């Protein structure tokens, strides 16, 4: 099996694990382009201006459909599948913000960042499967949750290595947490309280996003999304129980097994239920 036909797993969450083999190459091309611009934004050897120049060039390659570039190849695929260019250019906007290391002041600004950095991924998968646009809002909520979970997991690396902090300043002030606290060996009590509040907000968002499982028609995509929900809940529990500064939480084989079992169950149950309703 070639590399482009392999399921993609970014950090803890699957991308393409249960999707049709016909879809995987398209998803892989999108992933490769996203990884390319992410690497540019995170490159410590580049200045802000250099990063922005490279990101601008990738956008030009995308719209020019330059065949020998990652972005150009993706653009051709977008045209073939009648996908909106915004599904890629929104990602570029997010990584331009990363390149500038713009400080997030309030929670709403973090959500706005996620609308560019994470939500396009969900819309991309839904559009690729011709799902109803009614799925977009709960998918945006789910993608936002995944993005913020990722920020929490990488908090120490982002602050200490990239000099980038995704925690809103208002929360830092509320709990009297300084960026220097994040670079310590263990989490301070104040930082633990801050993370607990963020997790609590995410848990409430999970409840709002779960309607997505009933809206998605494609069984393979529904199964994958159910797996992601299960893994997300497992990760949120690990973040609450552990110390993210001392050790970054990781999902176990048991977590994955439970998630796959849950995903397959949801996919089969909701599919059967839908068939019964139609009859």
């Amino acid at each position: 099996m070639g590399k482009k036909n392999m399921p993609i797993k970014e950090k803890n969450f699957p991308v393409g694990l249960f999707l049709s083999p016909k879809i995987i190459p398209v998803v892989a091309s999108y992933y490769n382009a996203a990884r390319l611009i992410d690497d540019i934004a995170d490159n410590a050897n580049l200045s802000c201006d250099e990063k922005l120049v490279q990101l601008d060039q990738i956008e030009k390659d995308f719209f020019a459909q330059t065949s020998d570039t990652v972005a150009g190849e993706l653009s051709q695929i977008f045209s073939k599948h009648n996908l909106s260019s915004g599904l890629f250019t929104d990602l570029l906007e997010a990584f331009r913000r990363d390149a500038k290391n713009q400080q997030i002041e309030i929670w709403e600004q973090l959500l706005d960042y996620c609308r560019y950095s994470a939500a396009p991924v969900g819309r991309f998968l839904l559009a690729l499967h011709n799902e109803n646009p009614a799925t977009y809002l709960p998918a945006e909520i789910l993608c936002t949750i995944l993005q913020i979970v990722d920020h929490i997991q990488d908090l120490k690396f982002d602050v200490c290595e990239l000099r980038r902090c995704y925690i809103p300043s208002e929360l830092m002030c509320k709990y009297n947490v300084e960026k220097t606290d994040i670079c310590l060996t263990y989490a301070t009590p104040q930082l633990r309280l801050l993370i607990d509040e963020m997790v609590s907000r995410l848990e409430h968002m999970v409840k709002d996003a779960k309607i997505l499982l009933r809206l998605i028609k494609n069984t393979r995509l529904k199964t994958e999304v159910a797996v992601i929900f299960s893994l997300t809940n497992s990760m949120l529990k690990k973040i609450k129980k552990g110390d993210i500064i001392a050790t970054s939480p990781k999902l176990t084989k048991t977590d994955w097994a439970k998630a796959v079992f849950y995903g397959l169950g949801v996919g089969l149950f909701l599919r059967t239920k839908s068939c019964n309703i139609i009859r």
Side-chain angles (χ1 to χ4, degrees):
M1 183 180 292
K3 184 176 179 181
K4 283 194 175 182
N5 292 324
M6 292 292 288
I8 303 164
K9 186 176 75 172
E10 171 63 1
K11 296 187 182 294
N12 290 297
F13 302 103
V15 181
L17 193 63
F18 291 97
L19 302 184
S20 167
K22 295 180 181 180
I23 295 292
I24 296 299
V26 181
V27 177
S29 294
Y30 186 75
Y31 170 87
N32 290 336
R35 172 51 58 200
L36 173 64
I37 57 180
D38 188 17
D39 288 343
I40 292 172
D42 288 351
N43 192 331
N45 296 319
L46 296 176
S47 67
C48 173
D49 288 341
E50 289 171 330
K51 291 176 182 179
L52 293 176
V53 167
Q54 290 193 23
L55 292 173
D56 287 345
Q57 183 59 53
I58 288 176
E59 184 171 29
K60 291 177 183 177
D61 291 340
F62 178 81
F63 283 111
Q65 294 193 344
T66 310
S67 58
D68 60 344
T69 65
V70 172
E73 177 185 341
L74 179 66
S75 181
Q76 292 175 9
I77 291 174
F78 270 36
S79 295
K80 179 180 178 181
H81 291 274
N82 196 29
L83 297 172
S84 169
S85 60
L87 298 175
F88 180 63
T89 56
D90 279 358
L91 293 180
L92 282 167
E93 168 60 23
F95 291 120
R96 286 189 177 102
R97 294 186 188 185
D98 283 344
K100 298 174 184 177
N101 273 0
Q102 295 177 335
Q103 177 60 44
I104 293 172
E105 300 295 336
I106 59 176
W107 181 257
E108 287 71 23
Q109 286 181 342
L110 177 57
L111 299 182
D112 181 68
Y113 168 82
C114 293
R115 289 189 185 100
Y116 291 96
S117 68
V121 180
R123 295 200 309 273
F124 165 75
L125 288 172
L126 293 167
L128 199 57
H129 288 83
N130 294 313
E131 293 289 342
N132 192 303
T135 59
Y136 289 5
L137 180 57
E140 177 178 322
I141 297 173
L142 175 59
C143 290
T144 296
I145 295 166
L146 298 178
Q147 179 71 90
I148 297 176
V149 166
D150 184 49
H151 290 333
I152 295 174
Q153 286 179 262
D154 291 343
L155 178 60
K156 188 170 185 177
F157 177 81
D158 287 342
V159 172
C160 304
E161 301 296 329
L162 300 181
R163 301 294 186 267
R164 184 185 301 153
C165 184
Y166 293 101
I167 296 182
S169 296
E170 64 170 356
L171 288 179
M172 301 274 283
C173 292
K174 177 179 178 179
Y175 290 100
N176 194 28
V177 171
E178 301 290 340
K179 291 181 181 179
T180 51
D181 296 333
I182 298 170
C183 296
L184 298 175
T185 306
Y186 299 99
T188 63
Q190 293 87 349
L191 180 56
R192 283 179 175 272
L193 290 173
L194 188 160
I195 297 301
D196 284 346
E197 176 168 336
M198 292 185 70
V199 169
S200 178
R201 294 188 184 193
L202 295 177
E203 288 174 333
H204 282 91
M205 291 170 66
V206 168
K207 296 177 182 178
D208 293 333
K210 271 209 165 181
I211 191 177
L212 182 62
L213 293 175
R214 295 189 175 276
L215 296 177
I216 294 176
K217 301 300 182 183
N218 184 277
T219 301
R220 285 177 174 268
L221 182 59
K222 187 194 301 287
T223 300
E224 175 147 332
V225 171
V227 169
I228 292 175
F229 268 109
S230 179
L231 294 176
T232 301
N233 286 326
S234 294
M235 181 55 67
L236 289 173
K237 290 177 183 177
K238 291 178 185 294
I239 291 173
K240 283 199 297 186
K241 292 180 180 179
D243 183 339
I244 63 166
I245 300 302
T247 307
S248 181
K250 303 293 182 184
L251 293 169
T252 65
K253 291 181 179 179
T254 300
D255 295 323
W256 275 91
K258 288 168 56 180
V260 170
F261 181 79
Y262 173 74
L264 292 173
V266 167
L268 178 62
F269 173 74
L270 290 182
R271 180 184 182 185
T272 303
K273 187 173 182 180
S274 297
C275 291
N276 289 336
I277 292 175
I278 293 173
R279 291 173 187 169

